[in-house]
Amino acid sequence: MLWTASQVCRRFSTSSHYYQNKLKLAIIGQSLFGQEVYTNLRKHGHKVVGVFTVPDKDGKADPLAVAAEKDGTPVFKFPRWRVKGKPIPDVVEAYKAVGAELNVMPFCSQFIPMNIIDLPKHGSIIYHPSILPLHRGASAINWTLIHGDKKAGFTVFWADDGLDTGPILLQRECAVEPNDTVDTLYNRFLFPEGIKAMVESVQLIADGKAPRIPQTEEGASYEGIQKKSNAKINLAQSAKAIHDWIRGHDKVPGAWIAINGQPVTLYGSSLFGGSAPAGQPLEIEGASQPGLVTKNGLILYGNDGKALLVKNLQFEDGKMIPASKYFSSGESSSVELTDDEKKMAEEIRNIWKGILSNVQAIEDTTDFFKSGAASMDVVRLVEEVKQKCPSVQLQSEDVYMATTFQDFIQMFVRKLRGEDQEEELVIDYVKVNNMTVKMPYQCFINGKFEDAENGKTYETINPTDGKVICKVSYASVEDVDRAVAAAKDAFDNGPWGKMNPRDRGSLLYKLADLMEEHQEELATIESIDSGAVYTLALKTHVGMSIQTFRYFAGWCDKIQGKTIPINQARPNRNLTFTKKEPLGVCAIIIPWNYPLMMLAWKSAACLAAGNTLVLKPAQVTPLTALKFAELTVKAGIPKGVINILPGSGGMVGQRLSDHPHIRKLGFTGSTPIGKQIMKSCALSNLKKVSLELGGKSPLIIFSDLDFNHIQYSVYFNKGENCIAAGRLFVEESIHDEFISRVVEEIKKMKIGDPLDRSTDHGPQNHKAHLDKLLEYCSTGMKEGATLVYGGRQVGRPGYFMEPTVFTDVEDHMFIAKEESFGPVMVVSKFKDGDVDGVLQRANDTEYGLASGVFTRDINKAMYVSERLEAGTVFINTYNKTDVASPFGGFKQSGFGKDLGEDALLEYLKTKAVTVEY
C-alpha cells in the first residue's frame, strides 16, 4: 500500500492505525481515565456514537462529558440504568438509538444491565485494575499492595453479569516497587498503559483478532472494600507485612494502631534501612518493641527486627500531623496576621462557609470534619483556596493536619510566608498576565540557592517586549569548583551513590510527577524567558520533559551487564562478566531553544545511570532550569546530586570542560563551540564527550504528495529547532504550487504574545539572534535568491520576525550551506525524477543531524532514507521525536545520542570482571 502525505503528515498522527478497521463505539464510564480513552480512540479513527457518563456534580460535568461535549459527541448522563434490578426502558431506548457496535467501559461506577452489555454486535469490554482472576472487586489495587504482590497490572476483559469474571482479552503487568502506593502504581502504569491497552483492545476487536480467554476460579479472591474497623494493624508480623498493610489502606480507609488507648491512623509508609536516628520512644499497643519518634517520622519495628518509617499520623478528631511532631504537636506559637493576611483569612472563612453550609457561622474553633466535611470537600477547599492564592502550594494533607479554622489559617499564613519550608528556595517573584510566577534566580549548589561567589548578576530579558524579567546570578569559576566538589561528594559519600536503583527510579518518578503538577507554571516561565508559544511550551517543552524523566526512571533498575565465555586454560575454570557503572560527576551544557527539554534529555539519562551533575543553562534562558532545581528539592533528590549554574559559556562552560573531577561532558550547541569543548576535554583529563551540534537538515519533496502541514518542518518553535528543515528540495513540476500553498498557510499564522493561547508564532529568543536572522536574509537577497515572503522584523515591541520563504536558492549560496536557526524556509528546485541527483545535493553538507522525504511511493521513500547521511530520517512526517528513540547526528553535527537506551550508554562505563574458580 502506498502512503499519501496527507495520511502521514498530520502533526499528531501515529499512523499505522490509520488503515485498520474502525468501529462505532459507545463509551460508558467516567473520570479522567475515561476521557483519555475516549480521546485516543477518536484519534485512532474510531467513531464514538455516544458517551454515557454520570450526572454533573455541584454543577460540574465529569471530564469525560466535558471532552465529548466539546467534540459534539452525543452525551447521556443517566443517574442509574435500572431500578429494583430491572432496566429502565427510557434509558435502554436512548442507548439503542446510538447504534454502537461495541461498548467500551474504561471506568464505570454504575451497574449496567446485561441487555445493554450484550446488545452491540461485539458486546462490551471493560478495564479492571488487577491481573484477573486475582483480586476481583472494587479494591483490587489496594489488595495487590496489602498482599505484598510482586506484580501489579490490569486486565481488559469481556464484560459479563459479574462484571469481573468474563473472558480475558488482554493483560499487562508491572513490577511492584518496595514503596509503591496506590497513587504511584496508578500514575506510573495503570493509567498511562491502561489507556494504550484499551485502544489496542478495540483495534484487536475491529480486526477480528481479539481473544476470549476464560477466567479460572483458581486463585481468585473477592475481597471487598476494607472497613475502618477491620483496618487495625497486626504489629506481630514482619516490617514488610506491616508496611504493605499501611500502604494498601492509604488513603482510604487508613490503617491504624492504638496509642494510649486511642486509635491513630498511619499514612505515608516506607521501608527503613540502616541505623535509626536519635528519637523519643513511643509505647504502642501490640508492638514487639516501642516505636521511635524521630525528625524523619515514626519508626515502627516488626517482629523480625526490621523497621518501617511512617510520615503522618491522624487522630480520632480528624486532625493530621507529621509523625515527627507527635510529642510537640501542640507547642507551636501562633503568628500575628498582617492586615492583608486578615483580609485573606476572611475570604477563606467564606470558602469554609460555602462548603459547610449546615454551620451557622464559622468560628475560630470550628472543626472542618466534625462539621460534616468529607474527602471531596477537602479537594474543594484546597482548589478554592488555590484560586484565591495560587502562590501557596496547598495539599489535601494540609487540611487533615489543621482541622480547625484557626489552625488552618495559621498553617496557610505560614505557607504564604514560606515559614513551612526548611530552606528558602524561592527568592524572586514575577507578575505576568495577573499570574504570580515563582522563579528562583540564584545559583543552585549543594541543595541551596546562593548568590554567585562574587555577587555578580545579569539581566534576563523577555523577548516578547524586550523588558527585564529579573536579575540572575552570574556564576564564577569559584562557583563551578564549589558545585563540582558538592557533586563529587554526593557521588562518593552521599546516599545517591549507594542507593538501590529502584529507589533512584522512584525519586525520578516523583520528580516527573512534580514537574507535571507544576507544568503550567513551567510553561509560563518557558514562554516569557524563551519566547516559546505557551501551548507548544506546555505540550512539547514541558510535556516531553516529563515523559523523558518517566522514561529514564523506568531504566534505573534495568541497567545490566553480560556473562562472557572465555577460553579456559585447564584445569582452571573462569567466569567473566561485565558491569555497567556510572561515570561519576558529569557536566551538561544546554542551549536556549528548548531550555527545559534539553535539560531533561541529558540529565534524565545521566541521573538514571547513577551519576551526579553540574548543569549550565544557556545564559539567555536560565529560569526553567532554576525552577527545575527547586522541584528536585521537593522530590527528595539528595543534596549535591544536581547543581545548576547560570552564567556565560566562556567562563562556566570553559571551566567545566577543563575541570579534572568531571568525567563526562554533554553539550548541545553550535559546531565551533563543540570543537572547542572537545579540545578542552581532551587536554584536561580526557573526559568522555557527547556533542549534538549544528544542522542543515535537507527535506526532499517529490511531486506525488499532498501539501498539508509541510511548513511546520521549518516554522516549528519559530524555526529555533536543531532539526528544522534547513533546506527544502522541491520537485520542479510542483514547485510553484508548493510555494503558493506555503505562503497561503503562513499568512494564516497569528504572530503575537506567546502567552496568548491563540498565538501560532512567538518572538525569536533574543535580540542578537533576531539581528543575525535579518542579516542572514539580507545575505540571501544579495546573493540572488528570491525573497517570496517575510524577511523582516515585525513592527511591534519585542524580537518578532516574519516567517520567511526564499526560492531560487543555488547550491553555492550562503543560505544554502549555513543554518539560519530561525523561521526561514530555503527552497531549491530539482528536476522531475532526478532522485540520485537530489540525493547528492542533499548530502553535500558537513552536517548530518536530520533529514526528511515526502512521497507516496514507499519504495522511493525507503531508497532515499537509506542514502541520506543523517542521524534521523523522517518519512512523510517531520519533527516527530520520541523519548524511546535515539537522537543524534553524523559528521559535524556531532556524535553520541540523547534519548532511548543509547543515551544511557553515554553516561555509563563498562567494567569486565574475570573470576577463577
Side-chain angles (χ1 to χ4, degrees):
M1 181 180 291
L2 300 182
W3 296 352
T4 67
S6 63
Q7 288 167 333
V8 294
C9 291
R10 292 185 177 89
R11 185 179 295 187
F12 302 115
S13 169
T14 56
S15 48
S16 62
H17 296 288
Y18 188 86
Y19 301 99
Q20 297 174 343
N21 302 308
K22 303 303 168 191
L23 294 176
K24 291 190 290 184
L25 308 174
I27 309 293
I28 305 176
Q30 64 192 90
S31 80
L32 186 60
F33 183 78
Q35 179 196 46
E36 289 293 323
V37 170
Y38 160 82
T39 301
N40 279 274
L41 285 170
R42 290 185 78 248
K43 280 184 181 178
H44 284 72
H46 297 285
K47 182 175 178 59
V48 179
V49 294
V51 163
F52 298 84
T53 186
V54 293
D56 297 354
K57 186 171 183 180
D58 297 328
K60 293 182 179 179
D62 184 80
L64 173 57
V66 172
E69 288 168 346
K70 183 179 179 182
D71 294 332
T73 302
V75 176
F76 305 85
K77 302 176 182 179
F78 300 133
R80 64 189 62 82
W81 290 69
R82 65 178 192 170
V83 174
K84 296 182 179 179
K86 294 183 178 181
I88 302 171
D90 290 347
V91 172
V92 173
E93 289 306 312
Y95 167 80
K96 286 181 177 180
V98 302
E101 297 172 317
L102 173 70
N103 291 332
V104 179
M105 305 164 71
F107 181 87
C108 184
S109 60
Q110 298 173 311
F111 192 95
I112 311 301
M114 285 307 297
N115 63 337
I116 299 293
I117 295 290
D118 294 336
L119 182 62
K121 173 183 176 182
H122 296 290
S124 303
I125 60 170
I126 190 167
Y127 171 92
H128 195 272
S130 80
I131 309 169
L132 292 174
L134 189 62
H135 305 313
R136 292 175 178 166
S139 298
I141 311 176
N142 304 74
W143 286 105
T144 295
L145 297 174
I146 292 169
H147 285 196
D149 294 352
K150 300 295 184 185
K151 289 184 179 295
F154 58 81
T155 304
V156 179
F157 66 98
W158 301 90
D160 68 346
D161 200 23
L163 287 183
D164 55 4
T165 56
I168 293 169
L169 192 161
L170 178 150
Q171 290 188 321
R172 293 285 184 267
E173 295 182 351
C174 71
V176 178
E177 304 296 340
N179 292 320
D180 261 333
T181 63
V182 171
D183 286 347
T184 61
L185 276 176
Y186 183 72
N187 292 330
R188 184 179 84 242
F189 186 80
L190 299 178
F191 183 88
E193 295 303 319
I195 293 163
K196 297 176 188 176
M198 290 298 281
V199 175
E200 182 181 345
S201 298
V202 170
Q203 196 60 58
L204 286 171
I205 295 168
D207 295 338
K209 299 177 181 179
R212 289 177 177 265
I213 305 167
Q215 285 195 55
T216 66
E217 289 297 309
E218 185 178 351
S221 61
Y222 296 88
E223 300 104 333
I225 298 173
Q226 276 287 79
K227 294 181 179 178
K228 187 74 173 183
S229 58
N230 296 331
K232 186 176 182 180
I233 303 168
N234 174 15
L235 295 169
Q237 53 184 336
S238 69
K240 183 181 184 303
I242 297 171
H243 165 63
D244 289 340
W245 185 264
I246 295 171
R247 64 179 176 150
H249 288 80
D250 188 348
K251 297 292 187 193
V252 177
W256 58 278
I257 56 177
I259 302 176
N260 297 325
Q262 301 296 319
V264 178
T265 305
L266 311 184
Y267 295 105
S269 172
S270 59
L271 293 172
F272 185 82
S275 56
Q280 191 169 347
L282 177 65
E283 292 295 332
I284 299 170
E285 295 176 19
S288 58
Q289 64 185 90
L292 194 64
V293 177
T294 73
K295 64 179 181 180
N296 298 323
L298 172 62
I299 294 177
L300 296 177
Y301 294 91
N303 59 9
D304 57 354
K306 295 182 179 179
L308 60 141
L309 180 70
V310 174
K311 285 290 187 183
N312 298 315
L313 307 176
Q314 187 177 34
F315 300 99
E316 271 191 296
D317 61 4
K319 183 176 181 180
M320 185 182 286
I321 65 167
S324 60
K325 305 289 187 184
Y326 180 82
F327 289 112
S328 58
S329 59
E331 296 177 5
S332 60
S333 58
S334 61
V335 295
E336 187 70 26
L337 273 59
T338 65
D339 289 341
D340 286 342
E341 289 166 348
K342 287 176 182 177
K343 289 178 182 177
M344 183 62 72
E346 289 309 307
E347 291 187 32
I348 294 174
R349 192 187 300 272
N350 290 332
I351 294 173
W352 276 54
K353 179 61 181 171
I355 297 171
L356 304 176
S357 55
N358 58 313
V359 178
Q360 190 171 3
I362 304 298
E363 308 290 348
D364 286 352
T365 55
T366 300
D367 188 283
F368 194 67
F369 296 100
K370 288 181 179 179
S371 299
S375 57
M376 282 304 298
D377 297 313
V378 174
V379 176
R380 178 179 166 185
L381 175 59
V382 169
E383 292 305 314
E384 289 196 34
V385 172
K386 279 183 180 178
Q387 284 184 328
K388 291 289 184 184
C389 190
S391 63
V392 174
Q393 299 299 313
L394 201 62
Q395 307 294 331
S396 295
E397 287 182 1
D398 295 322
V399 183
Y400 290 102
M401 293 183 182
T403 61
T404 67
F405 181 75
Q406 185 176 25
D407 288 345
F408 184 87
I409 293 300
Q410 288 285 311
M411 174 273 297
F412 173 83
V413 170
R414 290 182 191 278
K415 281 185 172 290
L416 186 64
R417 298 178 182 181
E419 293 178 10
D420 62 314
Q421 299 177 8
E422 290 183 9
E423 299 176 27
E424 182 61 46
L425 293 176
V426 180
I427 309 298
D428 210 355
Y429 296 85
V430 178
K431 197 82 169 179
V432 182
N433 279 17
N434 298 318
M435 176 181 179
T436 299
V437 182
K438 300 173 74 173
M439 298 186 298
Y441 64 86
Q442 297 165 293
C443 301
F444 183 71
I445 301 173
N446 202 26
K448 295 180 181 179
F449 284 105
E450 302 175 351
D451 289 335
E453 187 82 15
N454 55 16
K456 286 188 177 181
T457 63
Y458 70 96
E459 295 176 341
T460 185
I461 306 297
N462 184 342
T464 302
D465 55 16
K467 295 180 180 178
V468 175
I469 301 170
C470 62
K471 291 187 176 182
V472 180
S473 291
Y474 191 78
S476 65
V477 169
E478 291 76 19
D479 296 313
V480 176
D481 291 345
R482 287 193 300 125
V484 173
K488 189 173 188 304
D489 184 63
F491 183 82
D492 293 339
N493 307 311
W496 190 254
K498 304 176 181 67
M499 190 175 290
N500 180 294
R502 291 186 181 179
D503 292 339
R504 187 165 65 243
S506 294
L507 287 178
L508 294 184
Y509 277 123
K510 186 174 181 182
L511 177 57
D513 290 343
L514 281 165
M515 291 171 70
E516 185 169 46
E517 181 183 331
H518 291 265
Q519 61 183 331
E520 293 178 350
E521 190 173 15
L522 287 166
T524 301
I525 297 171
E526 193 92 335
S527 288
I528 65 174
D529 203 24
S530 77
V533 170
Y534 176 85
T535 50
L536 178 66
L538 189 64
K539 176 178 172 23
T540 301
H541 291 230
V542 179
M544 194 173 187
S545 300
I546 296 166
Q547 292 176 27
T548 303
F549 271 97
R550 286 193 175 134
Y551 174 82
F552 283 108
W555 267 110
C556 287
D557 62 352
K558 300 170 187 68
I559 299 169
Q560 53 196 18
K562 303 174 182 177
T563 57
I564 302 172
I566 64 171
N567 189 23
Q568 302 191 6
R570 296 179 181 176
N572 297 330
R573 302 175 68 191
N574 299 287
L575 168 67
T576 295
F577 61 90
T578 62
K579 298 172 65 181
K580 297 289 186 184
E581 297 181 346
L583 298 169
V585 182
C586 298
I588 292 173
I589 302 174
I590 57 174
W592 43 258
N593 57 327
Y594 292 99
L596 186 64
M597 195 171 81
M598 291 296 98
L599 176 154
W601 280 24
K602 295 186 186 300
S603 63
C606 173
L607 295 168
N611 302 287
T612 57
L613 67 88
V614 180
L615 181 140
K616 192 200 89 65
Q619 184 171 342
V620 292
T621 54
L623 296 178
T624 41
L626 294 171
K627 183 66 181 181
F628 168 82
E630 177 189 344
L631 299 182
T632 68
V633 176
K634 293 183 179 180
I637 305 293
K639 292 180 179 180
V641 172
I642 297 171
N643 305 271
I644 296 181
L645 301 175
S648 75
M651 186 181 297
V652 176
Q654 187 61 53
R655 179 55 180 159
L656 290 172
S657 301
D658 294 335
H659 204 290
H661 291 155
I662 289 175
R663 297 300 172 189
K664 158 72 195 281
L665 192 146
F667 171 76
T668 294
S670 71
T671 298
I673 299 299
K675 290 179 178 179
Q676 177 60 42
I677 285 173
M678 190 172 177
K679 180 179 179 181
S680 297
C681 288
L683 294 176
S684 55
N685 62 340
L686 207 62
K687 56 176 66 70
K688 192 174 181 180
V689 180
S690 58
L691 303 172
E692 196 252 283
L693 307 175
K696 187 65 176 176
S697 301
L699 174 57
I700 302 173
I701 300 171
F702 290 97
S703 59
D704 56 339
L705 89 162
D706 288 339
F707 292 90
N708 296 328
H709 303 304
I710 295 291
Q711 70 273 10
Y712 94 93
S713 63
V714 176
Y715 303 119
F716 190 78
N717 198 47
K718 310 162 292 172
E720 295 171 353
N721 187 17
C722 56
I723 58 172
R727 189 178 179 195
L728 278 64
F729 295 91
V730 181
E731 203 159 12
E732 200 167 38
S733 59
I734 63 162
H735 176 273
D736 292 349
E737 184 184 358
F738 175 83
I739 296 299
S740 176
R741 294 281 190 93
V742 167
V743 172
E744 182 182 335
E745 290 299 315
I746 289 174
K747 289 178 179 177
K748 297 176 186 176
M749 294 170 67
K750 179 180 177 181
I751 302 174
D753 184 350
L755 289 174
D756 183 336
R757 303 313 194 248
S758 64
T759 295
D760 299 305
H761 188 83
Q764 304 309 135
N765 188 274
H766 51 282
K767 188 176 187 304
H769 182 55
L770 174 63
D771 293 342
K772 177 186 172 185
L773 287 172
L774 295 173
E775 179 62 29
Y776 183 93
C777 293
S778 176
T779 301
M781 288 186 286
K782 289 175 183 176
E783 287 187 318
T786 301
L787 177 64
V788 177
Y789 189 88
R792 298 171 302 178
Q793 183 173 357
V794 178
R796 58 171 292 163
Y799 311 137
F800 293 86
M801 180 175 177
E802 294 176 335
T804 300
V805 179
F806 276 103
T807 61
D808 301 320
V809 178
E810 302 295 335
D811 294 354
H812 63 84
M813 292 180 179
F814 176 81
I815 62 173
K817 294 181 174 294
E818 294 300 322
E819 181 180 27
S820 71
F821 212 65
V824 182
M825 182 178 283
V826 176
V827 183
S828 299
K829 294 179 186 177
F830 69 94
K831 291 182 179 180
D832 290 359
D834 188 12
V835 178
D836 290 325
V838 74
L839 273 169
Q840 183 176 354
R841 295 172 68 191
N843 286 328
D844 186 20
T845 171
E846 276 301 300
Y847 299 111
L849 188 57
S851 59
V853 55
F854 279 79
T855 176
R856 294 179 184 179
D857 186 339
I858 187 60
N859 294 318
K860 187 189 296 181
M862 296 308 295
Y863 179 86
V864 170
S865 71
E866 288 171 4
R867 287 157 179 78
L868 284 169
E869 298 170 358
T872 297
V873 181
F874 297 108
I875 300 177
N876 292 334
T877 186
Y878 210 87
N879 276 320
K880 190 174 288 183
T881 54
D882 186 86
V883 294
S885 177
F887 181 92
F890 299 162
K891 299 188 285 189
Q892 290 199 50
S893 288
F895 51 83
K897 297 293 183 182
D898 291 322
L899 304 180
E901 182 180 3
D902 292 43
L904 283 170
L905 302 179
E906 303 292 337
Y907 294 93
L908 292 165
K909 59 190 177 188
T910 302
K911 177 183 288 183
V913 180
T914 298
V915 182
E916 183 179 298
Y917 62 98

